[in-house]
Amino acid sequence: MQRARKLTSAVFGPIPLSRGRALGISERLSALTSLAASLEYLHLRDQTRPGGLHDWAVMREAHADASPVTHALLDAVGDRRATATLHAARAVVSAALLLPGASRLRGAGSLFLAASGAALYPRHRYGTDGSDQVSTVVQVGNAVARLSRSPRVQDAAMWHTAIQSNLSYAVSGWYKLLGRPWRDGTALAAVLRTKTYGHEKAYRLVIRHPSAARAVVRGVLALECLFPAVYAARGRLARPLLASAVAFHGANGYLIGIGRFLTAFTAMHPHVAYTSAPRSHPAVADRDDSVVPVIVLTLVGTASAAAVLAARRRQRVLTGPKGTRRLVTRRGNTLAYQFDEGDTDRPVVVLLGGLAATREQFGWIAEAVGREAGCGVLSYDRPGYGASLRRRGAPMDLDAQAVELAELIESVVPVDRSAVLVGHSLGGDLARRVAPLLGGRLAGVVYLDSAHPAELKRSVRQQEAATHLDEWLAVMDWSTRIGAGILMSRPPWFASLPPSVRDHAFDQYADARLWSTARREWAATRADYEAFEGELAPVAAPALVVSAGRTVAADAEQLAMHQEIAQAHRAGGAEVDLDVAEDADHGTLLTDSRHANRVARAILDFVDRVAGRRPTTPKGAAK
């Protein structure tokens, strides 16, 4: 019995590290990471030459929007000699920190490693997948703890590092749970088969023993998601959890070649051990935990502020931009729309966006086609997007949405005016489905890099994208639901939109409704596309099919499917034009003013042709 108690105590129990010992172990592990990193970079110094992987003349382009002062600092560090000198200095300081000692000079050394690591971060590609960032976090905490003479400040710094450690595991674990490959256990095989992180022998072993592989994957998920349990039961789970984490990083280092992760992440473990031990233990009896209530109150305050901001953002989204009108459909959904009538003798252009898109992404095209060329413009939000409301239980499939769109057009567009549908991405397939419902009121259809119902079966690129899309939508849905929208920054392409629409577009982008709606819409669309068989039905209306140059260059099958969309219109006895927007990708076709103006000109030429008018070029359109 006594032996069993000793064994249990050895496996389940806190790890009683004193403040000084925890700092010393953490410093040395973190120094090992920095030493290995700098020696690696010095060994690969040839890659900083012109044409190399780390050629600064190329890498600095990623910081083109930085201020002149920032550019000057980056260029100073980016100089090959300066880079080599900094890494040599980091190697020397890292080696010094491996030596015994407890002086404040060690804090200065950790501070130098953190500062130089942050300065060198834009300079390299290696290490930017986690290890260097974690090292910087640990080194900042260790520097503050060493340089301060106050036990309260020292413990606050160590608590900060410990919390960062918990977040790094827990967030990673819960994020993985949103992805199907991690839930069904196939993620391990997917990682091991890649060129960058693969391991052929391990991959074959996983394929031969799928049950064991699933058990390993689920064990990793349990470790990461439940890592904060290290503080439960007075630290009794600290030993098994930290030991499991060390084994996890060790296996990753051996199998997928990220060896620096082992020392980078385990450098946080001494702080976790120190803060998880009960205060009753002599080793941590003088620990100051006063920062913990402050952290809790900060989190509660942040969550409250996030909830208030989210509610205000939701209200702005539901109100809609100026000029928003509403129509309650026969299915009970409320469609929010804007209708600029334009010249009454011209067709009305109806804009249909893609998945998880806002109508503001048509900003440049709407300006050119409507206000500058005089066409009527009708834009709307599908049920659940923007200011539109979806009745609970209402179907989300494209055929059901096509019926409602036809109802909107019949209700809003005057009977003496025809409509031209302009659909981007998924909106293109929606336009194809609504076209037969409009009969003689339809003048033509414009497809902008359109989706095709067979793309998930025929395009390997689209199949891979679909898997990532499932995970991405789930992450965006749940993160915005819990208030993380307050942390979101505007994607770079937002800066390309017309200034007048950027704020409202971002309100929608940071609101959970967009992502939960997109997730439902994608689930219905995916089921539809996976069940698609045969050929596209003929469409008896003229068409303009525009492909993004970068889309079809990367996936020839996509171009073939765009040609099939054109053929469906030819089969209906209609004329068809095909065009490729060179150098445009799927998104910039709309959001980049250069490409959007070119597309607008093509749309107007098409509109004039189907309406029997002389071609008109919008003001400011690209020639």
Side-chain angles (χ1 to χ4, degrees):
M1 183 65 70
Q2 188 174 3
R3 185 174 298 177
R5 286 177 183 170
K6 287 184 178 180
L7 180 61
T8 302
S9 177
V11 175
F12 296 99
I15 305 174
L17 294 179
S18 65
R19 182 186 298 115
R21 192 174 176 207
L23 274 174
I25 296 172
S26 178
E27 284 170 340
R28 289 172 178 82
L29 287 170
S30 186
L32 278 174
T33 308
S34 298
L35 179 61
S38 287
L39 291 178
E40 241 183 88
Y41 291 134
L42 288 171
H43 177 67
L44 298 171
R45 189 183 173 192
D46 283 348
Q47 295 193 359
T48 62
R49 296 181 184 276
L53 180 63
H54 298 158
D55 181 358
W56 180 242
V58 176
M59 297 187 68
R60 75 189 304 273
E61 293 178 4
H63 309 279
D65 296 332
S67 68
V69 174
T70 303
H71 260 304
L73 292 173
L74 290 175
D75 286 338
V77 175
D79 179 79
R80 292 186 67 241
R81 289 170 296 182
T83 299
T85 300
L86 269 177
H87 278 304
R90 282 170 57 82
V92 171
V93 172
S94 298
L97 284 173
L98 296 176
L99 301 174
S103 72
R104 297 179 73 194
L105 284 174
R106 298 179 70 83
S110 290
L111 187 60
F112 169 77
L113 291 178
S116 58
L120 286 165
Y121 179 78
R123 184 69 179 86
H124 298 293
R125 297 184 188 275
Y126 296 143
T128 57
D129 49 1
S131 61
D132 287 357
Q133 297 96 316
V134 170
S135 292
T136 299
V137 170
V138 174
Q139 287 154 1
V140 168
N142 289 342
V144 171
R146 281 293 188 198
L147 292 172
S148 175
R149 296 187 185 277
S150 167
R152 174 175 291 185
V153 173
Q154 292 170 349
D155 288 342
M158 297 181 74
W159 266 108
H160 174 266
T161 305
I163 291 170
Q164 290 289 337
S165 178
N166 278 267
L167 287 174
S168 68
Y169 290 110
V171 172
S172 175
W174 289 103
Y175 177 90
K176 289 185 177 78
L177 270 180
L178 297 174
R180 186 187 302 174
W182 288 98
R183 294 197 305 272
D184 63 20
T186 59
L188 183 58
V191 172
L192 292 174
R193 67 177 294 185
T194 62
K195 185 175 182 180
T196 303
Y197 297 113
H199 192 286
E200 186 177 354
K201 291 182 179 179
Y203 171 71
R204 290 177 179 174
L205 193 64
V206 164
I207 294 301
R208 284 200 300 269
H209 304 283
S211 298
R214 281 194 296 272
V216 170
V217 170
R218 288 166 183 171
V220 169
L221 285 177
L223 165 67
E224 293 188 319
C225 292
L226 301 177
F227 190 84
V230 71
Y231 291 95
R234 296 171 58 83
R236 287 189 174 88
L237 297 177
R239 293 177 188 270
L241 284 172
L242 290 177
S244 298
V246 171
F248 167 66
H249 291 301
N252 283 343
Y254 175 74
L255 292 174
I256 63 179
I258 50 175
R260 295 212 305 266
F261 274 57
L262 175 59
T263 51
F265 279 86
T266 57
M268 296 190 287
H269 291 181
H271 296 263
V272 175
Y274 173 69
T275 55
S276 62
R279 286 279 299 278
S280 58
H281 198 285
V284 297
D286 63 340
R287 190 182 69 213
D288 189 309
D289 295 338
S290 59
V291 73
V292 177
V294 174
I295 293 172
V296 172
L297 288 175
T298 300
L299 290 174
V300 171
T302 302
S304 300
V308 171
L309 290 174
R312 293 177 63 183
R313 179 183 292 120
R314 174 69 58 82
Q315 186 58 45
R316 291 194 297 269
V317 170
L318 292 176
T319 300
K322 185 178 179 180
T324 296
R325 310 178 197 179
R326 288 168 175 79
L327 171 74
V328 179
T329 69
R330 288 187 287 270
R331 293 180 184 270
N333 292 325
T334 300
L335 300 184
Y337 67 92
Q338 284 181 299
F339 180 41
D340 296 325
E341 293 189 16
D343 297 339
T344 56
D345 63 338
R346 306 208 66 184
V348 174
V349 173
V350 184
L351 303 175
L352 314 178
L355 180 74
T358 70
R359 46 183 157 134
E360 286 78 13
Q361 288 175 246
F362 277 102
W364 294 117
I365 291 177
E367 283 187 6
V369 171
R371 285 185 286 276
E372 297 180 12
C375 283
V377 176
L378 172 63
S379 60
Y380 86 115
D381 300 315
R382 292 197 291 277
Y385 287 113
S388 292
L389 304 177
R390 172 178 170 267
R391 178 182 57 80
R392 188 178 183 84
M396 297 288 290
D397 60 279
L398 292 177
D399 289 331
Q401 298 202 53
V403 172
E404 288 197 316
L405 175 56
E407 183 180 348
L408 175 66
I409 293 172
E410 290 169 356
S411 301
V412 173
V413 178
V415 293
D416 59 342
R417 298 179 70 179
S418 59
V420 174
L421 304 176
V422 178
H424 173 250
S425 190
L426 190 65
D429 196 24
L430 176 59
R432 182 184 62 82
R433 295 171 190 239
V434 77
L437 305 179
L438 297 177
R441 303 200 63 186
L442 179 65
V445 183
V446 178
Y447 298 91
L448 303 179
D449 218 35
S450 177
H452 186 292
E455 62 186 27
L456 298 186
K457 292 185 175 181
R458 292 170 48 183
S459 169
V460 174
R461 189 180 180 87
Q462 290 294 333
Q463 292 167 7
E464 294 173 348
T467 300
H468 293 304
L469 185 58
D470 285 334
E471 185 173 343
W472 180 60
L473 290 176
V475 169
M476 295 301 293
D477 181 12
W478 285 106
S479 61
T480 49
R481 285 193 192 191
I482 64 175
I486 192 177
L487 303 176
M488 291 176 65
S489 58
R490 299 191 181 199
W493 58 266
F494 264 79
S496 300
L497 294 175
S500 60
V501 304
R502 292 174 192 170
D503 289 341
H504 189 69
F506 185 68
D507 278 341
Q508 296 172 74
Y509 192 78
D511 183 50
R513 287 181 73 250
L514 182 142
W515 301 107
S516 58
T517 298
R519 196 175 174 194
R520 292 190 187 98
E521 187 175 60
W522 170 239
T525 301
R526 183 167 187 164
D528 182 309
Y529 283 12
E530 289 176 345
F532 178 79
E533 298 287 350
E535 299 179 350
L536 298 178
V539 182
L544 167 64
V545 181
V546 180
S547 302
R550 294 190 179 184
T551 296
V552 296
D555 187 358
E557 191 62 42
Q558 207 64 35
L559 178 60
M561 288 186 284
H562 288 174
Q563 291 170 339
E564 288 180 13
I565 293 173
Q567 183 57 38
H569 285 261
R570 292 193 186 99
E575 294 185 2
V576 179
D577 294 324
L578 291 100
D579 192 9
V580 175
E582 300 296 340
D583 201 37
D585 62 28
H586 189 68
T588 58
L589 195 66
L590 299 186
T591 59
D592 187 300
S593 61
R594 295 178 301 113
H595 301 310
N597 274 329
R598 181 183 182 280
V599 169
R601 184 180 64 186
I603 292 172
L604 283 169
D605 288 346
F606 175 75
V607 168
D608 289 334
R609 188 162 57 256
V610 298
R613 291 172 58 102
R614 186 164 48 87
T616 301
T617 299
K619 301 173 186 176
K623 300 289 185 182

